[in-house]
Amino acid sequence: MDQGNSQNGVPATWVGHGGAAAFDLRSDTQTTPTVAMLSAISVTTLDDDVYNEDKTTIDLEAHVAALAGKEAALFVLSGTMGNQLALRSLLVQPPHSVLCDHRSHIIRYEAGGVASLSQAMIEAVVPRNGIHLTLDDVKEHACVGDNVHDCPTRVISLENTLGGMVMPLEEVRRISAWAREHGIRMHCDGARLWEVVASGAGSLAEFAECFDTVNLCFSKGLGAPIGSIIVGPKDIIRHSRWMRKSIGGGLRQSGVVTAAARVAVDVTFGAGPNGEGGLLKESHATAKRVEKLWTEMGGKMLYPVHTNMLWLDLESMGCSGDRFTELGAQRGLKLSGSRIITHYQVGEEAVQKLTEVFQQVAAERNAPPTLGPKHANDAGVHVYKA
Ligand SMILES: *Cc1c(COP(=O)(O)O)cnc(C)c1O
């Protein structure tokens, strides 16, 4: 096995084959399984999880349930599967609706699963503060009466982080208390809740206490190859296990994936309940450093940096998303326009290359290149401002 390139500032054992993830800043999904994860897979248990006999899987579920202070947990193949099963198990029957932020993964990136699997209507809310929903937003849009014209809100689904930004514990608590008063159930799309905890905003258990169910991803910033987990009350998780089977998500020798997920929790998130000893905090510090580089050059940000995700206002530097991506590619960096994720496998060498990209953006802003024949047809795409 290629142990990765320790020259890029990341220990070789943190990156899988070739260390390509160290130069891929498009998404934290581009993290690759570590040597420790691959080793754990090679010695994992090989029992049947549909029979509920695989110890590695049972232990992982018990461990994450305990971390979150919940009764039970269920390993699932993806975050989408986790969200959709949790919502299906919290909802009963129409008429019913789910209230969420208008940018939520559950409505934008899950192929309409809430409609097809749960037959629920979505109440998509634009947060007034532009960053996260507040209780005021929720109260204004939730439907709590029994008027026959209305579609009652049965679940409030909050995403944390959303766009890398943290919804503060205090606001989550306010919304949760109000929801419980009104018999509305709470789901958290916590694909990146690990990052929230690593940022110091509260513990997993403190956040999870506000929700009936929480979905947590192993294959984003934690670096596992596959999988997510949902935590919640026994009866809900039991129902989700049943539903998981119905959509073909019952797993046989699940140890080959849950062994890697366990390493992701213990090593990447960290052994302590607040991610103590983990590797995420450092990725947040890298993001802050990159933000400083950009803003000191005069660049603006589209959103604040709370974790390891940055949203560069490329237009503020007169650069298009395509040009920015191209400048990265010329230096062996994978970028995708304005969003950058400095996941924990992004090394020092990548930050250096990114600095060069920023410098080039600044240089082109000051001296816009004349559009030669190659660019003559796509002048509208490359917007240069003096
Ligand atoms: C990635 C992600 C998911 C799950 O995505 P899958 O690709 O299905 O694992 C869910 N919610 C959010 C906010 C995400 O970022």
Side-chain angles (χ1 to χ4, degrees):
M1 181 186 352
D2 186 335
Q3 296 274 303
N5 175 13
S6 61
Q7 299 301 307
N8 60 30
V10 173
T13 50
W14 290 5
V15 290
H17 299 258
F23 301 101
D24 197 330
L25 285 72
R26 291 173 300 173
S27 174
D28 47 0
T29 56
Q30 301 306 314
T31 49
T32 52
T34 61
V35 173
M37 290 175 197
L38 298 172
S39 303
I41 292 168
S42 71
V43 295
T44 190
T45 52
L46 297 170
D47 297 306
D48 190 308
D49 183 52
V50 173
Y51 292 177
N52 220 340
E53 290 175 353
D54 184 67
K55 191 171 180 313
T56 307
T57 304
I58 292 168
D59 286 353
L60 174 74
E61 290 171 343
H63 179 60
V64 179
L67 275 179
K70 292 292 192 206
E71 283 178 353
L74 178 70
F75 180 82
V76 290
L77 290 172
S78 68
T80 298
M81 188 182 270
N83 282 330
Q84 295 301 329
L85 289 177
L87 291 170
R88 178 59 279 184
S89 296
L90 292 173
L91 294 162
V92 181
Q93 65 178 354
H96 55 195
S97 67
V98 175
L99 185 149
C100 63
D101 190 296
H102 71 117
R103 302 160 295 180
S104 297
H105 199 278
I106 62 161
I107 54 170
R108 298 281 169 213
Y109 307 106
E110 300 191 4
V114 185
S116 55
L117 201 63
S118 293
Q119 300 93 46
M121 191 182 85
I122 288 286
E123 187 71 51
V125 179
V126 178
R128 258 178 285 181
N129 65 21
I131 299 197
H132 60 74
L133 290 177
T134 62
L135 178 56
D136 284 345
D137 294 324
V138 168
K139 278 183 177 169
E140 190 181 326
H141 294 275
C143 186
V144 293
D146 59 357
N147 184 318
V148 75
H149 296 93
D150 294 342
C151 185
T153 306
R154 298 298 187 212
V155 173
I156 295 171
S157 179
L158 303 179
E159 189 173 313
N160 208 2
T161 64
L162 194 161
M165 294 177 288
V166 173
M167 178 184 278
L169 182 57
E170 208 174 308
E171 198 60 53
V172 177
R173 281 181 170 151
R174 268 200 285 270
I175 295 171
S176 172
W178 182 86
R180 281 171 180 163
E181 240 174 72
H182 291 85
I184 297 170
R185 307 201 84 167
M186 295 282 293
H187 172 67
C188 175
D189 179 357
R192 299 190 173 100
L193 193 61
W194 312 105
E195 309 286 352
V196 174
V197 176
S199 79
S203 69
L204 270 189
E206 283 173 318
F207 277 97
E209 201 279 325
C210 302
F211 297 94
D212 295 283
T213 49
V214 182
N215 169 54
L216 298 147
C217 284
F218 299 122
S219 65
K220 288 262 169 80
L222 296 201
I226 291 170
S228 278
I229 198 162
I230 48 178
V231 296
K234 263 194 194 130
D235 59 333
I236 293 289
I237 295 299
R238 165 82 191 137
H239 186 266
S240 289
R241 186 179 291 275
W242 207 342
M243 286 304 299
R244 185 186 70 170
K245 190 75 180 74
S246 80
I247 58 170
L251 303 174
R252 296 301 174 182
Q253 285 75 45
S254 59
V256 296
V257 276
T258 54
R262 183 57 189 263
V263 174
V265 175
D266 291 350
V267 178
T268 319
F269 174 66
N274 293 299
E276 292 92 342
L279 307 173
L280 298 178
K281 253 191 177 30
E282 186 64 28
S283 73
H284 298 186
T286 306
K288 279 287 174 197
R289 247 185 334 128
V290 170
E291 179 190 28
K292 192 157 177 277
L293 285 168
W294 178 253
T295 53
E296 279 181 355
M297 260 176 32
K300 292 193 167 62
M301 304 298 295
L302 295 171
Y303 289 115
V305 179
H306 291 170
T307 55
N308 61 6
M309 196 184 295
L310 300 108
W311 295 90
L312 306 182
D313 184 349
L314 293 174
E315 217 176 295
S316 72
M317 289 295 284
C319 186
S320 73
D322 287 350
R323 179 63 181 155
F324 187 68
T325 303
E326 184 183 321
L327 289 173
Q330 287 168 2
R331 290 159 182 80
L333 273 190
K334 286 191 174 159
L335 302 173
S336 56
S338 64
R339 189 183 82 162
I340 291 179
I341 302 192
T342 58
H343 57 76
Y344 82 100
Q345 292 179 346
V346 168
E348 209 38 54
E349 204 176 318
V351 176
Q352 284 313 312
K353 287 175 187 289
L354 193 57
T355 308
E356 287 169 32
V357 170
F358 287 0
Q359 285 163 350
Q360 182 63 26
V361 168
E364 290 184 6
R365 183 192 201 201
N366 294 328
T370 44
L371 298 177
K374 182 176 170 291
H375 290 104
N377 295 329
D378 61 6
V381 175
H382 295 193
V383 182
Y384 296 108
K385 286 183 191 157

